[in-house]
């Protein structure tokens, strides 16, 4: 198996990732702006499948219509030349100060209307470029203080926005689904829909619930100390993994956006193991930031590292699952029994109550004495991850 | 307004709270067992409305049927004498070693069946004692290592359990709803349904979704660094706040179960503000642990402190909302505008697109220049909390 | 007691605090630049005692010597007019991209030399303006990846820098001490001297250890989940609290720099209680950021709130300590016994071994049964904090 | 290179690790007690070098003198037969309820005296068994509430204790050093000396500072979100790494005590890289808890996994350092320049000020433009860790 990426691996990158200039809360840009066309060319050379963008990544905020058209035309040519797809696009509702209190849930109604228009405008472009997923990260939909936002009312506004956008996409006949990206905090003190769970719950209340799913990001869940593969498993269970943002994070702190594999390597392994055994067919999208210590050589090395680490982990996960010793260890840990329904076919509560072996005659102490054999299994996983089997 | 609790305040306590003997991961019990009858008497004297219990809190694991009956009879008499209600009950699926890999999602099928039977048995008792809420905390439904639990399959088992329990309650004609209690970790490395959000999402997949809601606990959400009032607001928004566990937690660390008010005092204030302005009519249930440094005087002082702090915060929250200066500050922060729908009545996407004032003619810079006036508002809240207005 | 600030309260602010323009990792400035002279005027009106600055806050990076002189002259006049002091100054070794790998511990030697020169230059200005404390925050002395920095070697470089700066200050006869400001992470993945403890330990290895102490910041320790008052108590115990940065932080996440009192209010109370009962005579320095949602009205409201909250908490802490019921509760909790040495005067290990009452005849069970009475005491503290006693 | 452990690897285990019965805050023991003699035998078979213990691990609390002697005699015979050493011992000052407010800093003076006696008694045994390191973990030296402990006074008591124990060890002529083990919280809300840094600072104030160092534990520092290899590097820099506790932890949460390698695998790699390149010659001591899901097969598998993972990581770290491409990448990242003093030999501040190339003529922009080449280096480390080079 090869660890050299090809378009078949479906690796995609945001324009804003390799294009990040390195501005952080305490420092100015360390790298010049990157021409989107160069990004397209370089990523294609590295083996990527596609590219994604926020409206303002591609078309600077405030561009005239003519500038806009020229930029789009040039970008399309570059995509065609390089053979890169645009499977996803999204909107920047956070950089300009007008969004300082959010977009869809800003306390100011006119700003909410403006935000909706900005999104619709870019949805049109996304559809034109062939994107089938539209990501919504509500990074500024939140608050730092308790009375500044009535959360229930803000959720009403958020629902109103997604319902309208769903209407619009349907009315235009776009083949497009929405993917909400949760994040617990930063840049706001607390953000609405802080985790995969909160966003999954929210979606159920939407008019176009079937058209709305998730775009979870590794680091965002880990910023809440949550197990990312567990969150993805639940999203898959609900049929709502529409897209995914891969990167790295070293624990609960500011949003690091390290390259994939950096940060929690073991979770990265289990994530790849899960994705590759699931029916998720979408892009493996990297949403990372090459550290601001790096020049462009470092930027491309970092991008290449994301793909390389995914492929190494994929190789290891497949070997893990194929290993007869692992399969035996999984049986010893009774994963096969977990897969068996708890109730017999057609069994009712009354039937269960009538089964004395389930309670009255159940040997609790004997059952308690069984070891689960999880440590042997986990060491086998470690051996595969580290390549010593 | 009085800060002396009365039954009208609907304060309830778990038997296991004041009854906690102080065993922790590194230490043995520091207090003797407390007779549930004494607990009933003392809490009634302190002004509580009711009491709640796990099956094993009241009836020691392994009691004979005769012992069980005697215990229940004596407990009912104490309740009648003291005038305390039992609005909620729950099951212990975590103390006995048989549950070391969970109850409803243990890899061992016979343990899952036993767990269901243990729950059903206590549901019968709960119904008999008049409880209308049955709490399910799945503290051991989780894992420490990646292959030990197939999360999607485990969620299938969890759904199977709640579907069966729903069937049972309906079949018995019980006036009873279920309330799931999320927790991110401890005692397992990662727990299924780690947050309010994940549990809300899960409920949507259940057969008896209308009968299942949440029992969020202050400290559990804060163990994931999440804003508890925000989580409760979302639960209310979904119509799913069925019960609540009040306590205190000092940040992201082990589960502290401090008395209510200890830990994050400002979030406690916003929580009370939210509950008292919502349609939540259920018990204010304290699920805390008097620190193991305390003797029984300290235990009762701690229990009294929970209620006292709630009532002080309630008084302050009501004064905050009634203050004309606050109402003015809320307007200055445009909370009234947030309450206004973003779209005009009947407005469609096409209508919005036709509104040039929303985009083409929108003065972005002017809108960006408006201050949100949140700091003035938050300082007013601080003044009210601290009682200096 | 008044909660209106006066210079006697020794409240100071960094130029960069109210002057923060609101750039964050995801957003552009929301406020225009603030003229330092206006800052001086406004803070004086609000009751502040003094002002502090990074070199580049006052004198834009790259100014000519003539510009520099003009700026300084104008600033001094403003200070004189307003009657504000400059008790502290510090250096910006983080904004310019040249410091992307740190200043004193950059892997590049010429950058380290440049950093030292930049610091020395501003020390001269600080001395000229009468500052007696020079703060050193090494926000970029750190790394994101394991091999990028040899920590032991980097500590050698850090020591080299402080030794040289100590030499310089002594050689110039400046009445100036250094205060190191620890922080665990952000903007680097991990920062050298991440906590109060690490910095205290480091100081012991310096040539001019007596001249170097700490400038701990509330939020920085809380970003590591540490108890800030405990850290300050240890710094005081070592005689090393040279300066302090007051602000607010809501748990383990990005550096929030909320106004003092926001965030963990109970720790703020215990901090003020500690400071006011200690021999710390230095400034109460606010290092906060008015949220970027605010316009200048909000900025000044936020600054005023910092001072107001300190004074409210001071009033409450003094009342707490003066309350006879509290004094009784402290005795019940045996704080007086903690203050008594464990050994008798002159007692040796041999003497202790000979004391049978200490071990052989010690009634362990009886001692274990004593309650510590901490909950009663803590509820009294809560009552005082909330102003209900 | 072999990944089969031998005594030359100096792997040691606490009796309480494999002997942990699985009691946790929510559950009873899942495993029977383990005979220390069996532990000795089994660990020797697995390739361990030695064993360590708390007094009460070996000799149950409250044993008579005769029982004590018999236990010790039998234990010594087992050690001799198995060829295991006892390089370290420690005291249990946390399990018995008498220590509910701590040992050396309990508010109760008689308990502090009792604690000292309990420690001295076990120091004698430790010396008799040949231990040269005595660990002190002050797990209950702390508080849950603000007024319950005067931290400065408690530090006085802590110093008093270590000074006395130092006196005692010197007076007895024992070849023994103390190693303080920091921990931020759990089982107390906040613990004194919460991190490696705080403990290092404290040691400087002790009478026998030269005889006191650290025993840092992986998970304890990670519970504060700190980088463990960085902490160890600082401890080494101060000459204070006297012992080390190896285990695993998955981020900021309760103390997990996973087997070494589990949890943060990349930090484990950098830790082994650091230890193996340092002058630390002491034991590689595992302080972990086999999960309570496991039976004894799982316990021994978990113990074996600790050693196996250490040896795999050692092999990988040595290969990383030996790889010419890595050495080149380290040069590209200017680690060699970091190792060069910032000042020329004998250079003074005056000399530096006279060097115009350091400031006046320094090309800041050119220096800022240099990339640090850290991502290439870190990917090489990843490749080595994963065994793909």
């Amino acid at each position: 198996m090869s660890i050299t990426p090809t378009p078949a691996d479906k690796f995609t990158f945001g324009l804003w990732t390799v294009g990040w200039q390195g501005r952080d809360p305490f420092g100015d840009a360390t790298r010049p702006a990157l021409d989107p066309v160069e990004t397209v060319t370089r990523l294609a050379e590295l083996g990527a499948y596609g590219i994604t963008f926020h409206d303002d990544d591609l078309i600077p905020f405030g561009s005239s219509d003519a500038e806009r058209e020229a930029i789009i035309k040039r970008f399309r040519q570059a995509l065609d030349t390089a053979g890169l797809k645009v499977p996803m696009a999204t909107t920047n509702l956070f950089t300009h100060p007008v969004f300082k209190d959010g977009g869809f849930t800003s306390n100011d109604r006119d700003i909410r209307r403006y935000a909706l228009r900005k999104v619709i405008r870019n949805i049109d472009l996304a559809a034109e470029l062939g994107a089938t997923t539209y990501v919504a990260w509500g990074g500024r939909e939140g608050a730092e203080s308790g009375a500044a936002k009535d959360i229930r009312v803000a959720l009403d506004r958020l629902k109103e926005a997604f319902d309208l956008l769903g209407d619009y996409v349907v009315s235009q006949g776009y083949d497009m689904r929405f993917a909400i990206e949760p994040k617990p905090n930063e840049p706001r003190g607390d953000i609405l829909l802080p985790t995969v769970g909160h966003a999954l719950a929210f979606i159920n209340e939407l008019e176009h619930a079937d058209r709305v799913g998730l775009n979870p990001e590794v680091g965002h869940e880990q910023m809440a100390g949550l197990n990312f593969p567990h969150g993805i498993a639940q999203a898959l269970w609900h049929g709502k993994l529409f897209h995914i943002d891969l990167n790295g994070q070293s624990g609960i702190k500011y949003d690091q956006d390290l390259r994939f594999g950096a940060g929690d390597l073991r979770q990265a392994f289990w994530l790849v193991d899960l994705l590759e055994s699931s029916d998720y067919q979408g892009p493996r999208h990297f949403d990372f930031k090459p550290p601001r210590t790096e020049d462009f050589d470092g930027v491309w090395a970092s991008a290449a590292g994301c793909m390389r680490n995914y492929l190494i982990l994929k190789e290891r996960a497949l070997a893990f699952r194929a290993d007869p010793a692992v399969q035996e260890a999984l049986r010893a840990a009774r994963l096969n029994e977990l897969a068996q329904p708890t109730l017999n076919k057609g069994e009712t509560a009354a039937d269960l109550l009538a089964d004395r072996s389930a309670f009255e005659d159940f040997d609790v102490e004997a059952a308690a004495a069984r070891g689960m054999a999880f440590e042997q299994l986990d060491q086998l996983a470690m051996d595969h991850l580290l390549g010593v089997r």
Side-chain angles (χ1 to χ4, degrees), chain A:
Chain A
M1 186 185 150
S2 167
I3 54 176
T4 303
T6 73
D9 296 311
K10 285 207 162 173
F11 292 129
T12 57
F13 289 83
L15 269 186
W16 68 92
T17 63
V18 292
W20 185 57
Q21 293 187 245
R23 257 180 229 103
D24 76 14
F26 298 95
D28 289 340
T30 62
R31 291 187 292 261
L34 194 56
D35 180 350
V37 167
E38 185 183 348
T39 301
V40 165
T41 310
R42 295 298 301 262
L43 287 176
E45 288 167 10
L46 290 174
Y49 164 80
I51 199 143
T52 69
F53 65 95
H54 300 89
D55 47 0
D56 301 340
D57 299 333
L58 184 60
I59 306 152
F61 188 93
S63 298
S64 70
D65 285 357
E67 288 163 342
R68 179 181 164 91
E69 288 314 307
I71 288 168
I72 293 170
K73 187 176 173 195
R74 184 167 169 266
F75 185 59
R76 295 190 73 137
Q77 286 171 340
L79 290 169
D80 291 345
T81 304
L84 283 201
K85 308 289 182 204
V86 177
M88 179 272 271
T90 181
T91 326
N92 184 326
L93 295 180
F94 44 86
T95 298
H96 194 281
V98 77
F99 300 121
K100 64 190 171 193
D101 190 40
F104 296 163
T105 69
S106 169
N107 284 1
D108 286 334
R109 184 172 181 264
D110 56 356
I111 294 173
R112 298 198 298 270
R113 290 174 67 84
Y114 174 73
L116 281 170
R117 286 288 303 270
K118 192 168 191 284
V119 173
I120 289 172
R121 191 184 203 204
N122 202 45
I123 284 176
D124 289 341
L125 174 57
E128 192 185 322
L129 293 173
T132 53
T133 302
Y134 203 84
V135 161
W137 172 57
R140 292 209 193 270
E141 319 291 358
E144 285 76 38
S145 51
K149 197 68 59 180
D150 183 320
I151 300 302
R152 289 171 293 175
V153 170
L155 290 171
D156 284 340
R157 295 293 82 76
L158 204 56
K159 169 175 160 50
E160 202 185 354
F162 281 100
D163 288 348
L164 181 92
L165 296 175
D167 286 348
Y168 180 72
V169 161
V170 169
S171 74
Q172 298 303 107
Y174 292 156
D175 174 23
M176 187 177 283
R177 301 192 300 179
F178 294 92
I180 296 178
E181 179 174 330
K183 190 177 181 184
N185 61 72
E186 202 213 55
R188 301 305 298 273
D190 292 288
I191 299 179
L192 294 179
L193 311 183
T195 75
V196 158
H198 295 77
L200 285 170
F202 171 76
I203 290 168
N204 278 295
E205 310 291 337
L206 301 181
E207 293 302 317
H208 302 275
D210 56 319
R211 199 176 271 269
V212 186
L214 291 195
N215 177 45
E217 177 169 322
V218 174
H220 291 181
E221 302 303 297
Q222 293 179 344
M223 288 169 71
L226 299 176
N227 184 308
F228 190 72
H230 283 206
I232 294 303
Q234 184 167 352
L236 287 164
W237 189 73
H238 290 278
K240 287 298 189 191
L241 187 69
F242 283 12
H243 200 262
I244 192 163
D245 272 2
L246 302 173
N247 61 17
Q249 173 77 16
S250 289
I252 306 178
K253 54 179 65 161
Y254 73 99
D255 187 12
Q256 295 193 283
D257 285 335
L258 303 171
R259 79 186 189 287
F260 184 65
D264 192 330
L265 179 59
R266 297 201 81 208
Q267 280 200 15
F269 172 75
W270 293 116
L271 173 64
V272 173
D273 174 67
L274 174 65
L275 285 177
E276 296 298 325
S277 69
S278 79
D279 59 359
Y280 177 73
Q281 302 289 333
R284 272 66 179 161
H285 182 249
F286 299 107
D287 186 359
F288 81 116
K289 291 197 177 84
R292 71 193 283 285
T293 49
E294 304 306 297
D295 59 14
F296 282 119
D297 285 347
V299 166
W300 303 118
S302 190
C306 286
M307 296 187 282
R308 177 177 178 83
N309 290 336
Y310 190 98
L311 291 175
I312 298 170
L313 294 176
K314 179 178 173 183
E315 184 186 81
R316 297 294 160 79
L318 296 178
F320 171 73
R321 293 289 167 187
D323 182 346
V326 169
Q327 290 159 4
E328 175 57 33
L330 287 165
R331 275 189 298 272
R334 282 95 78 192
L335 270 294
N336 55 334
E337 245 188 79
L338 181 65
Q340 208 183 332
T342 303
L343 299 172
N344 301 322
K345 204 172 158 62
E347 189 176 21
T348 64
D351 298 335
L352 177 65
L353 284 167
D355 177 7
R356 293 189 59 87
S357 78
F359 192 74
E360 292 82 356
D361 302 339
F362 182 59
D363 187 342
V364 182
E365 301 309 324
R370 294 175 208 144
M372 301 307 301
F374 291 157
E375 285 293 281
Q376 290 98 322
L377 176 60
D378 193 51
Q379 187 58 39
L380 281 170
M382 183 71 90
D383 283 2
H384 274 286
L385 171 57
L386 295 176
V388 293
R389 280 184 70 89

